[in-house]
């Protein structure tokens, strides 16, 4: 609908309902509560063939991701911290943004870019968050002032998978606000 910013979320793991996916879903829910429209690409949605810039044929899942990114007013990326960095699954999905190189808006030029990382320890969580921010800059996007690093070793989720950490909840809410406000300014 006109006037509603469209925010695309990418991330998670191949494990359904992972901490990373839950954090991304929480952020997108907060975007929707602020009037934004969202699309989520996680888990199986981003289990794509290795990106090959010389292969023009795309799978249906890859074409859907690229199409959503082409229309996105803002993007939020959530990655687990694997061995101190972003996961191969998330990195490969982000590599498909190369398909936007010839568009009028090259890559994600002037697009708000939110970052969420989850890792079992602060070192990988913070390092992964930094990598996501650098990737956003490389894609000509504007990383939001707040990036959310989550230490999964802490009690963040309850046994049902609900977010119980007020600090993380507040940070994901602020990130959603920055994405919606940034999308409005960029428009």
């Amino acid at each position: 609908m006109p006037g509603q910013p469209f925010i695309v979320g990418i991330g998670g793991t191949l494990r359904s309902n992972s901490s990373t996916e839950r954090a991304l879903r929480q952020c997108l829910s907060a975007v929707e509560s602020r009037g934004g429209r969202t699309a989520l690409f996680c888990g199986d949605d981003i289990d794509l063939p290795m990106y090959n810039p010389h292969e023009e044929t795309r799978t249906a899942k890859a074409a859907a991701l690229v199409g959503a990114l082409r229309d996105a007013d803002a993007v939020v990326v959530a990655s687990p911290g694997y061995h101190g960095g972003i996961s191969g699954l998330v990195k490969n999905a982000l590599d498909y943004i190369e398909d936007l190189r010839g568009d009028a808006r090259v890559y994600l030029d002037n697009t708000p870019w939110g970052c969420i990382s989850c890792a079992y320890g602060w070192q990988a969580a913070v390092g992964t968050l930094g990598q996501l921010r650098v990737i956003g800059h490389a894609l000509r996007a504007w990383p939001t002032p707040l990036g959310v690093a989550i230490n999964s070793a802490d009690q963040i989720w309850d046994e049902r998978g609900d977010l119980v950490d007020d600090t993380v909840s507040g940070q994901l809410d602020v990130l959603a606000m920055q994405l919606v406000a940034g999308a409005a300014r960029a428009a």
Side-chain angles (χ1 to χ4, degrees):
M1 294 175 61
Q4 286 186 296
F6 178 52
I7 286 79
V8 173
I10 303 169
T13 72
L14 290 176
R15 183 173 53 87
S16 179
N17 203 29
S18 67
S19 300
T20 309
E21 181 181 324
R22 282 183 272 167
L24 182 58
R25 287 181 184 278
Q26 182 83 19
C27 182
L28 291 177
S29 176
V31 163
E32 290 171 357
S33 72
R34 288 180 162 67
R37 295 177 300 122
T38 65
L40 173 64
F41 293 87
C42 64
D44 188 56
D45 301 326
I46 58 173
D47 187 10
L48 305 169
M50 287 302 294
Y51 179 74
N52 179 350
H54 307 293
E55 175 60 50
E56 294 182 21
T57 304
R58 297 286 177 243
T59 64
K61 290 192 297 187
L65 173 64
V66 171
L69 288 165
R70 186 169 275 128
D71 294 337
D73 297 309
V75 176
V76 58
V77 181
S79 178
Y82 286 172
H83 309 290
I86 70 170
S87 72
L89 179 74
V90 172
K91 177 62 169 78
N92 187 55
L94 296 177
D95 286 345
Y96 277 86
I97 296 172
E98 182 65 20
D99 285 2
L100 306 179
R101 69 185 171 276
D103 288 12
R105 177 183 73 179
V106 178
Y107 300 125
L108 295 170
D109 190 47
N110 205 36
T111 302
W113 173 269
C115 304
I116 302 168
S117 66
C118 292
Y120 202 80
W122 286 114
Q123 183 176 356
V126 172
T128 301
L129 183 67
Q131 290 175 0
L132 289 172
R133 294 176 70 79
V134 167
I135 291 168
H137 279 291
L139 294 170
R140 303 182 186 185
W142 290 100
T144 56
L146 178 66
V148 180
I150 300 170
N151 182 352
S152 299
D154 293 340
Q155 182 63 44
I156 306 299
W157 313 98
D158 67 14
E159 60 279 348
R160 292 181 316 202
D162 294 329
L163 183 59
V164 294
D165 186 292
D166 291 339
T167 300
V168 171
S169 179
Q171 289 175 345
L172 292 171
D173 194 53
V174 169
L175 178 57
M177 177 197 62
Q178 290 178 352
L179 287 164
V180 171
R185 280 192 297 277

